[in-house]
Amino acid sequence: MPTDEFIVTPWHVEGEIDYDKLIKRFGTEKISKQLLTRIEKLTGDLHFMLRRGIFFSHRDLNAVLNEYEKGNKFFLYTGRGPSGHTHIGHLVPWVFAKWLQDKFGTNMYFQLTDDEKFFSKQNLSLEETKQFAFENALDFIALGFKPENTKIIIDTENIKTLYPIAAQVAKKINFSNTKAVFGFSNDTNIGMIFYTALQSAPCFIEDRPVLIPLGVDQDPHFRLTRDVAPKIGKQKPALIHNIMIPALQGPGGKMSASDDNGTVYTTDPPEVVKKKINKYAFSGGQPDIEEHRKKGGNPDIDVSYQYLRIFFEPDDNKLKKIYDDYKSGKMLTGELKAILIEKINGFLKIHQEKREKARNQLSKFLLENS
Ligand code: TRP
């Protein structure tokens, strides 16, 4: 693959992503300064993920805000394909969704697609993906969502609710549409071919506009949903996209839940986190201390720095100091990693406690089929 090439699809991310190019390729809109100002006016403050361009692109965000200002509330929807335990990268859109929910006072739906991961992964049984769905749900609940305004959808459990909507959508997508978007071939199983209809269904679960915070790799599904919406008398879903979270081993590719060493799981104990970061986190530092002191490191490609920027250091001043010190050579790679390890373990200690408490709450969050 040429170095300037990259692939972003829901099932395959590869290469170093140029996000401006991706915006053009996908036909989305960059989040502009004006849009940030508009959000800040409505919410009172800007989440650091917006300030830092972690959420960088959107579709029709202005339209949902227009409706909101007229008193027509939107609801939120996002999801997760339960192919393994949750890793810290998954939490990015969920934490941001919680912020949106608090600021805009909305309902929230979280879809766990046990069917999708059964269809797309050779080595997983439906029992396993369903088990992971329940485990992943705990991480979601642990972020502070409340059962009064938040519902968790599990595809194989909630099919009775989803199917009538999915059927409306499915009738308006033909095989050449999905093939054009996903590159399916004759040996793709037909579960995959139908699947977009199921991921679309929660968009229309309430009769009001929806906003979907999501990893940009999921955009292709909703491009189809947006084409279908007017054909079934519905509004197009609005989207707000986050960048892909890099794997520990480095820029290019996203964190994959199926690669143990490339991933920090929310269930990892502190020693494991320490070992993974020290051993695997790609470093933007120089080969030896002397050279590092002289030339400085490169925070822009350093995965430990990127994790601080993306999730673990919300304080802009502290982050800037780390950036400057690392770049000047004052801070060594080992010191940078130590900061990250402490941040992750501090977060996980609390998260893991909340995650265990969530087990008793789970049933209150599960959507009941009507
Ligand atoms: N397909 C997504 C995944 O593999 C899961 C998902 C379902 C989702 N519905 C969603 C993601 C809505 C974002 C928004 O992770």
Side-chain angles (χ1 to χ4, degrees):
M1 197 170 50
T3 49
D4 61 346
E5 280 305 312
F6 55 87
I7 301 168
V8 179
T9 79
W11 298 291
H12 186 67
V13 178
E14 196 184 320
E16 241 177 281
I17 304 164
D18 177 329
Y19 286 101
D20 287 325
K21 274 195 192 155
L22 189 62
I23 285 174
K24 289 214 185 87
R25 194 190 282 180
F26 278 9
T28 68
E29 282 179 68
K30 194 173 177 132
I31 297 179
S32 65
K33 285 252 156 56
Q34 292 93 305
L35 184 50
L36 288 181
T37 310
R38 182 173 189 195
I39 298 169
E40 188 167 12
K41 266 197 194 128
L42 289 166
T43 58
D45 66 71
L46 265 191
H47 195 278
F48 73 88
M49 291 179 189
L50 284 169
R51 291 201 304 269
R52 296 180 190 168
I54 310 303
F55 280 83
F56 70 104
S57 155
H58 75 101
R59 293 183 189 267
D60 276 347
L61 186 51
N62 277 303
V64 282
L65 296 181
N66 292 345
E67 288 297 310
Y68 179 83
E69 282 177 340
K70 283 190 240 157
N72 187 10
K73 258 195 201 169
F74 56 88
F75 70 95
L76 291 163
Y77 157 44
T78 192
R80 148 102 180 123
S83 55
H85 279 293
T86 308
H87 58 64
I88 53 180
H90 291 128
L91 304 178
V92 167
W94 309 351
V95 164
F96 183 67
K98 178 70 169 65
W99 180 81
L100 287 173
Q101 185 182 42
D102 291 345
K103 294 293 175 181
F104 291 97
T106 67
N107 286 345
M108 165 89 208
Y109 295 85
F110 185 65
Q111 181 182 35
L112 287 156
T113 57
D114 54 345
D115 55 343
E116 176 199 10
K117 293 297 144 169
F118 172 59
F119 295 144
S120 69
K121 301 273 177 185
Q122 285 306 331
N123 57 341
L124 286 176
S125 69
L126 196 52
E127 290 71 31
E128 286 167 324
T129 57
K130 192 164 182 160
Q131 195 50 46
F132 281 131
F134 286 113
E135 287 296 314
N136 296 166
L138 301 178
D139 290 293
F140 182 77
I141 295 169
L143 299 178
F145 291 99
K146 298 280 170 291
E148 296 76 47
N149 56 7
T150 304
K151 288 297 158 217
I152 294 174
I153 299 168
I154 298 177
D155 282 357
T156 60
E157 293 281 308
N158 293 117
I159 194 62
K160 185 167 184 280
T161 302
L162 297 176
Y163 196 63
I165 318 174
Q168 298 292 331
V169 175
K171 193 171 181 177
K172 300 294 178 192
I173 302 177
N174 62 38
F175 186 40
S176 55
N177 299 148
T178 43
K179 229 169 39 182
V181 172
F182 299 114
F184 292 148
S185 59
N186 276 345
D187 58 5
T188 305
N189 69 63
I190 62 171
M192 294 284 281
I193 294 164
F194 181 79
Y195 171 72
T196 295
L198 270 173
Q199 182 154 327
S200 302
C203 296
F204 309 117
I205 202 160
E206 286 193 22
D207 203 12
R208 52 169 90 231
V210 63
L211 173 62
I212 309 173
L214 76 175
V216 68
D217 60 323
Q218 296 297 315
D219 181 80
H221 285 297
F222 296 108
R223 228 179 290 158
L224 286 168
T225 320
R226 285 168 52 84
D227 287 344
V228 168
K231 298 179 187 163
I232 60 171
K234 303 285 184 187
Q235 291 186 58
K236 293 185 179 196
L239 313 175
I240 180 163
H241 307 100
N242 65 261
I243 61 169
M244 304 318 298
I245 311 309
L248 284 181
Q249 282 94 338
K254 67 169 173 176
M255 238 193 192
S256 162
S258 354
D259 172 10
D260 266 13
N261 293 330
T263 306
V264 174
Y265 295 101
T266 60
T267 46
D268 281 345
E271 327 75 76
V272 173
V273 172
K274 186 172 176 185
K275 199 185 112 203
K276 282 182 181 174
I277 299 296
N278 280 331
K279 191 158 175 197
Y280 299 108
F282 182 83
S283 162
Q286 302 297 343
D288 60 59
I289 292 185
E290 204 179 315
E291 209 174 324
H292 189 89
R293 292 278 187 227
K294 224 188 293 166
K295 294 187 186 156
N298 182 355
D300 296 313
I301 60 164
D302 186 283
V303 168
S304 301
Y305 175 78
Q306 289 307 319
Y307 283 15
L308 291 170
R309 182 178 84 90
I310 292 169
F311 196 89
F312 290 101
E313 184 48 89
D315 184 320
D316 286 351
N317 293 326
K318 286 188 189 159
L319 187 72
K320 182 167 187 308
K321 185 154 173 20
I322 294 169
Y323 186 95
D324 292 343
D325 286 354
Y326 193 61
K327 208 176 165 91
S328 73
K330 190 172 162 200
M331 182 182 283
L332 300 174
T333 297
E335 293 166 336
L336 175 57
K337 287 191 173 190
I339 295 174
L340 178 66
I341 291 164
E342 202 186 310
K343 286 274 176 190
I344 297 180
N345 282 338
F347 171 83
L348 287 184
K349 186 175 187 303
I350 299 166
H351 182 80
Q352 288 167 1
E353 283 165 20
K354 290 185 180 160
R355 197 179 180 282
E356 282 314 304
K357 288 201 186 114
R359 286 185 197 275
N360 304 322
Q361 281 188 287
L362 183 58
S363 61
K364 282 189 250 159
F365 281 89
L366 298 178
L367 183 76
E368 277 176 44
N369 290 313
S370 48

